[in-house]
Amino acid sequence: DSIGKLNRYNLTLYSINTRGLDSSGADVTKQDRNYAALDTNLIKDYQDSLSQMADETGGLSFQNSQNFKVGFDSILDDISHQYLVCYRSPEHKKADKYHSIKVVSKKPGLKLRYRKGYVD
């Protein structure tokens, strides 16, 4: 539902996990109960959902690193090298149905990242 709303409003999500390197050890945030997350599966599910949202809106996800400069530089590079392609979607018989999109290029070696689809 969230991904559909982001795509309807033409928003691209970029996700940076500020927890640094994943580890199976004790949670370093235990001292501050406001940010404590003791269940590592819950943390992984949360980050996986943000990564999926980034991927399905055409954005990037940066995680499992302590070099945040790389993540922010990747985002800045991405938003400075993009093109907006628009088209009018055809009339669909059923409302609220997912429609996939595929973008191709004839130029070899070109890396394309785009939304995978939309809900009308």
Side-chain angles (χ1 to χ4, degrees):
D1 190 42
S2 297
I3 293 168
K5 287 181 182 178
L6 288 167
N7 283 330
R8 268 193 290 284
Y9 290 111
N10 199 26
L11 297 172
T12 302
L13 183 86
Y14 292 89
S15 169
I16 293 184
N17 183 349
T18 59
R19 294 183 66 83
L21 297 172
D22 286 340
S23 72
S24 57
D27 187 358
V28 296
T29 63
K30 278 185 182 178
Q31 296 170 355
D32 185 352
R33 296 240 181 245
N34 291 328
Y35 298 101
L38 304 176
D39 184 353
T40 55
N41 288 330
L42 178 66
I43 294 168
K44 184 175 180 346
D45 287 347
Y46 178 71
Q47 187 57 44
D48 287 348
S49 66
L50 288 174
S51 295
Q52 180 184 2
M53 290 171 70
D55 181 57
E56 292 191 27
T57 61
L60 295 170
S61 177
F62 179 79
Q63 56 187 326
N64 202 22
S65 175
Q66 292 178 326
N67 187 352
F68 299 111
K69 183 179 182 329
V70 171
F72 286 113
D73 286 348
S74 297
I75 292 170
L76 291 173
D77 185 58
D78 190 64
I79 61 177
S80 65
H81 296 95
Q82 62 181 324
Y83 295 92
L84 179 62
V85 177
C86 299
Y87 77 101
R88 180 176 291 195
S89 61
E91 292 291 326
H92 300 289
K93 295 177 182 177
K94 293 182 180 179
D96 297 329
K97 185 177 176 188
Y98 182 82
H99 305 280
S100 60
I101 298 172
K102 183 166 182 164
V103 178
V104 296
S105 172
K106 292 180 182 180
K107 186 173 183 176
L110 188 64
K111 181 181 177 188
L112 299 175
R113 208 175 56 256
Y114 53 90
R115 291 190 170 104
K116 307 300 184 229
Y118 66 96
V119 176
D120 57 0

